[in-house]
Amino acid sequence: MHMTRLRTHHASFPSFGLILKEKMASHIVGYPRMGPKRELKFALEAFWDGKSSAEELQKVSADLRSSIWKQMSEVGIKYIPSNTFSYYDQVLDTTAMLGAVPDRYSWSGGEIGFDTYFSMARGNASVPAMEMTKWFDTNYHYIVPELGPNTKFSYASHKAVTEYKEAKALGVDTVPVLIGPVTYLLFSKPAKGVEKSFCTLSLLESILPIYKEVIAELKAAGATWIQLDEPTLVKDLDSKQLDAFSKAYSELESSFSGLNVVVETYFADLPAEAYKTLTSLNGVTGFGFDLVRGTNTIEHIKSSFPAGKYLFAGVVDGRNIWANDLAASLTILQALEPVVGKDKLVVSTSCSLMHTAVDLVNETKLDDEIKSWLAFAAQKVVEVNALAKALTGTKDEAFFSSNAAALASRRSSPRVTNEEVQKATALKGSDHRRATPVSARLSAQQKNLNLPILPTTTIGSFPQTVELRRVRREYKANKISEENYIAAIKEEISKVVKLQEELDIDVLVHGEPERNDMVEYFGEQLSGFAFTANGWVQSYGSRCVKPPIIYGDVSRPKPMTVFWSKMAQSMTSRPMKGMLTGPVTILNWSFVRNDQPRFQTCYQIALAIKKEVEDLEAGGIQVIQIDEAALREGLPLRKSEHAFYLDWAVHSFRITNCGIKDTTQIHTHMCYSNFNDIIQSIIDMDADVITIENSRSDEKLLSVFRDGVKYGAGIGPGVYDIHSPRIPSTEEIADRVNKMLAVLDTNVLWVNPDCGLKTRKYNEVNPALTNMVSAAKLIRTQLASAK
């Protein structure tokens, strides 16, 4: 990270090292891991490809950690986190710490190394990976622990202690962060072969001894504070689950002796009973709350905060990139100060900053005006410390004035509001459903498309080669002409089309060679979006994304995909899918404006996508996929808020395709979330075909159909996991398809991978798809002979 200051007409954007070095009552829950140049991503991929050693990977990660610790210390942050750096995700790190390795990975004990760790995350040549799903309502993923009554636990990863000592050797005293024991168990699932009714909380007494060992080692190493993250407290928990927190922390109380412990929550308000449980925990020194997404928690604090305890007040948003309203945050803090005591109030981020980009000083693409409205992780650290200083009476008046001017600029900027768009999204009197029922539409589409039973397709993207990335990069840098760029992309599309025809796939895709990212590509062509040069955010492992910034009203100035889709369709007589990202996914995978309701922004995006769908249909595209991979991800954490969200999210999807012909087939795609609890809303989307992740979650999706849910549209539960390099056999895929046919009608089932293929290599994709098509043909033959 650069130790410089970037100046603009509106404000200054401090990076680290610009604030006085005195330690203020300031706290950072966690920090981004990737680095501004994606150092971790490239180091991980080089290691996985056998191009670098474990030692080289460890050095890259150590350099990133030391840079972050030193710079936070120089800013003046008092409570600096450690053990928040992960090679894949923090839940998998906890699984490693507890030695909870499933038997199939043949781990023989001892300290868990990279081979076992990454096999759990990614699978290997002989065994599949563990399930991956979303972390709360974010686009961050975690590997789901698999536990059972016979799981043996042991202290098998000393990462937390090692990293604490590493920071201490640099002269930085950190706060080691652990996923709390109850949250870990609540985010686990019964292992394969274990009764689904098995309660993972029954293992609490088995894992607490390992937590005690870790805490004892941290104390012996010199730690004075530790942070235990228990964010599941913001969810709807029953009395048994809440009791587990009380039991766990009573058991750990003696281990906490001589140590300060903060229990951190984030992402939402705490229900009243959860707040009472949390603030009554034994041996805990302080409590951390998200006061950005959990504003109602402020009233709990004012009415009943335990005397003598620390309040870690999360007033700086860790999940979005807008500059903090420093005056408003200071007002909140000043109202809380007499409640908790001046010496017990700590200014904090609302959650880990790993959900934001690293540093505005790395940005060259953003113009000065928009940049003045933003704060990335480095700037948020400075905001935290500025608020802490202001509480002590040493308010930086110039910094606060600059902040107020930037906020005023954003409110008054003509770039933010488009009256025509505002009027169009004042939707009245229509639920935007297609006029014909899905059964009749599917019949009309089959007459038009003439597909076999168990039609095969892929989800959209094909491998993104080094050469392809080079072409896109050089085109954006104006190093090659538009003519040469189009020729290169056309050649790539032709290769992908030819490959799919050779594989005998039924419904083709063009492979998306013109796109680096499914959201960024569309945002770049819609008004109201801005983009960063280095605003990378980790999604899991080496996977990182650059979320667009929605700063204003959204509209579509011109067609976005029609040119490429028509080109691809002209290369084949088979149906070619037009590939779009849906409005809810664009919304949930962006940094969204916070000056109007999210549903209003989503409706604007939906109307823009609707125009694209209509232009694709007019251009002869008969199958159009509108991905809603993130619809489930955005579901609020509290059940009382589900209905409102699902109503506008599903409505937004229907807006996109409500005006098209019955013969045009609309697909959608969803991945890596638990969909069973929203199946009725998925049905209500009224898509003709849905492809959905299934293989990595132990076919959990199929259970909803076993329970009697009737799904009349086409459906393609994924038959193999594309996030693993492992190649499934024809027999394995056929077995999965037969399991699906046990609960789904033959005439609605599609055969497809779990997700897009861009993260894989062609030497993995070709045999996997060959086996997938062979499996579909095998079962078609079996079904025909059984008649």
Side-chain angles (χ1 to χ4, degrees), residues 85 191 238 254 262 283 296 310 371 378-379 425 445-446 474 510 521 594 597 621 640 677 686 692 707 767 782:
F85 189 95
D238 59 34
S254 60
V262 56
N296 292 337
Y310 283 80
K371 197 178 291 185
Q379 288 69 46
T425 50
Q445 292 156 15
Q446 178 57 20
E474 291 186 354
H510 76 294
Y521 176 81
N594 58 0
I621 305 302
S640 61
D677 56 348
D686 199 28
I692 197 163
D707 292 341
Q782 292 172 348

Side-chain angles (χ1 to χ4, degrees), residues 519-554:
V519 173
E520 183 179 6
Y521 176 81
F522 289 97
E524 284 179 334
Q525 300 181 79
L526 295 169
S527 65
F529 282 75
F531 292 87
T532 64
N534 293 294
W536 297 103
V537 177
Q538 187 181 30
S539 183
Y540 58 87
S542 69
R543 171 71 172 152
C544 50
V545 294
K546 270 196 305 181
I549 298 165
I550 305 177
Y551 68 84
D553 290 335
V554 178

Side-chain angles (χ1 to χ4, degrees), residues 18-26 75-76 330 333-334 337 342 347 381-397 399-400:
L18 301 173
I19 303 298
L20 297 177
K21 293 185 180 180
E22 68 268 23
K23 301 297 185 200
M24 312 304 299
S26 49
V75 171
L330 185 58
L333 293 166
Q334 288 170 335
E337 195 172 53
K342 193 176 185 71
V347 183
V381 170
V382 173
E383 289 177 339
V384 165
N385 217 45
L387 287 164
K389 287 178 65 181
L391 274 179
T392 68
T394 54
K395 182 179 177 184
D396 185 337
E397 295 290 353
F399 188 67
F400 271 69

Side-chain angles (χ1 to χ4, degrees), residues 491-645:
E491 181 180 356
E492 184 69 20
I493 292 172
S494 177
K495 289 178 183 176
V496 170
V497 171
K498 184 179 179 182
L499 172 62
Q500 291 172 94
E501 289 185 326
E502 289 172 351
L503 292 169
D504 204 17
I505 292 174
D506 299 304
V507 176
L508 310 190
V509 298
H510 76 294
E512 303 177 10
E514 78 283 14
R515 308 176 195 182
N516 178 59
D517 177 86
M518 62 187 286
V519 173
E520 183 179 6
Y521 176 81
F522 289 97
E524 284 179 334
Q525 300 181 79
L526 295 169
S527 65
F529 282 75
F531 292 87
T532 64
N534 293 294
W536 297 103
V537 177
Q538 187 181 30
S539 183
Y540 58 87
S542 69
R543 171 71 172 152
C544 50
V545 294
K546 270 196 305 181
I549 298 165
I550 305 177
Y551 68 84
D553 290 335
V554 178
S555 61
R556 186 200 72 149
K558 61 182 181 181
M560 301 178 286
T561 66
V562 177
F563 174 78
W564 300 115
S565 293
K566 288 176 67 176
M567 175 190 290
Q569 183 63 82
S570 71
M571 297 175 181
T572 181
S573 60
R574 301 186 185 208
M576 173 66 62
K577 284 197 278 191
M579 299 299 305
L580 304 175
T581 303
V584 185
T585 296
I586 291 176
L587 183 87
N588 286 334
W589 286 357
S590 299
F591 291 125
V592 183
R593 59 189 293 190
N594 58 0
D595 59 345
Q596 72 176 13
R598 287 174 70 88
F599 71 82
Q600 191 170 337
T601 302
C602 198
Y603 286 156
Q604 292 177 358
I605 302 169
L607 290 170
I609 298 298
K610 181 176 185 290
K611 291 182 179 180
E612 188 73 10
V613 169
E614 290 167 352
D615 282 349
L616 282 168
E617 182 184 61
I621 305 302
Q622 300 175 81
V623 181
I624 302 170
Q625 182 170 307
I626 308 168
D627 285 346
E628 283 297 13
L631 188 140
R632 174 61 175 79
E633 173 188 311
L635 191 69
L637 301 178
R638 306 284 283 283
K639 291 177 182 176
S640 61
E641 301 170 16
H642 286 189
F644 178 66
Y645 167 78

Side-chain angles (χ1 to χ4, degrees), residues 132-337:
M132 182 169 67
T133 195
K134 297 292 179 73
W135 178 245
F136 289 85
D137 56 348
T138 74
N139 190 28
Y140 185 73
H141 300 64
Y142 73 95
I143 301 298
V144 182
E146 301 174 12
L147 307 177
N150 298 319
T151 300
K152 298 290 188 287
F153 298 98
S154 63
Y155 186 11
S157 170
H158 293 66
K159 176 178 177 291
V161 178
T162 301
E163 290 189 13
Y164 173 79
K165 290 179 178 179
E166 188 181 307
K168 193 172 183 182
L170 297 169
V172 182
D173 189 26
T174 60
V175 180
V177 179
L178 304 173
I179 296 290
V182 183
T183 288
Y184 177 79
L185 291 176
L186 288 175
F187 271 44
S188 302
K189 70 173 187 177
K192 201 164 187 176
V194 174
E195 287 293 327
K196 298 301 180 187
S197 60
F198 174 72
C199 178
T200 54
L201 281 178
S202 66
L203 298 171
L204 186 60
E205 291 184 3
S206 300
I207 69 171
L208 289 179
I210 289 116
Y211 274 87
K212 290 179 181 180
E213 284 189 73
V214 178
I215 292 165
E217 281 199 10
L218 288 169
K219 277 200 293 187
T224 57
W225 280 86
I226 65 168
Q227 176 180 313
L228 288 162
D229 283 5
E230 295 282 15
T232 47
L233 280 162
V234 305
K235 303 191 79 171
D236 296 310
L237 302 181
D238 59 34
S239 59
K240 182 179 178 182
Q241 292 167 327
L242 290 174
D243 285 345
F245 287 94
S246 301
K247 291 175 183 175
Y249 285 80
S250 292
E251 179 68 24
L252 291 172
E253 184 178 9
S254 60
S255 299
F256 293 156
S257 177
L259 194 63
N260 294 297
V261 178
V262 56
V263 177
E264 189 69 46
T265 66
Y266 34 79
F267 298 153
D269 287 303
L270 265 73
E273 285 302 309
Y275 177 84
K276 183 178 177 181
T277 297
L278 172 62
T279 53
S280 301
L281 293 179
N282 294 339
V284 175
T285 315
F287 310 99
F289 300 104
D290 183 338
L291 302 183
V292 176
R293 290 178 173 240
T295 52
N296 292 337
T297 301
I298 295 172
E299 298 309 312
H300 292 320
I301 296 168
K302 288 179 177 178
S303 63
S304 60
F305 192 78
K309 301 293 186 181
Y310 283 80
L311 170 63
F312 287 72
V315 293
V316 173
D317 192 352
R319 284 192 52 182
N320 216 329
I321 43 66
W322 302 107
N324 187 268
D325 186 336
L326 294 176
S329 293
L330 185 58
T331 298
I332 292 170
L333 293 166
Q334 288 170 335
L336 293 173
E337 195 172 53

Side-chain angles (χ1 to χ4, degrees), residues 122 128 152 219 282 335 342 355 381 406 422 468 475 477 485 495 556 587 613 634 672 682 697 742 763:
R122 307 176 71 237
K152 298 290 188 287
K219 277 200 293 187
N282 294 339
K342 193 176 185 71
H355 305 289
V381 170
Q422 290 281 335
L468 184 56
Y475 177 61
Y485 171 71
K495 289 178 183 176
R556 186 200 72 149
L587 183 87
V613 169
Y672 299 103
I682 291 174
S697 56
N763 63 1

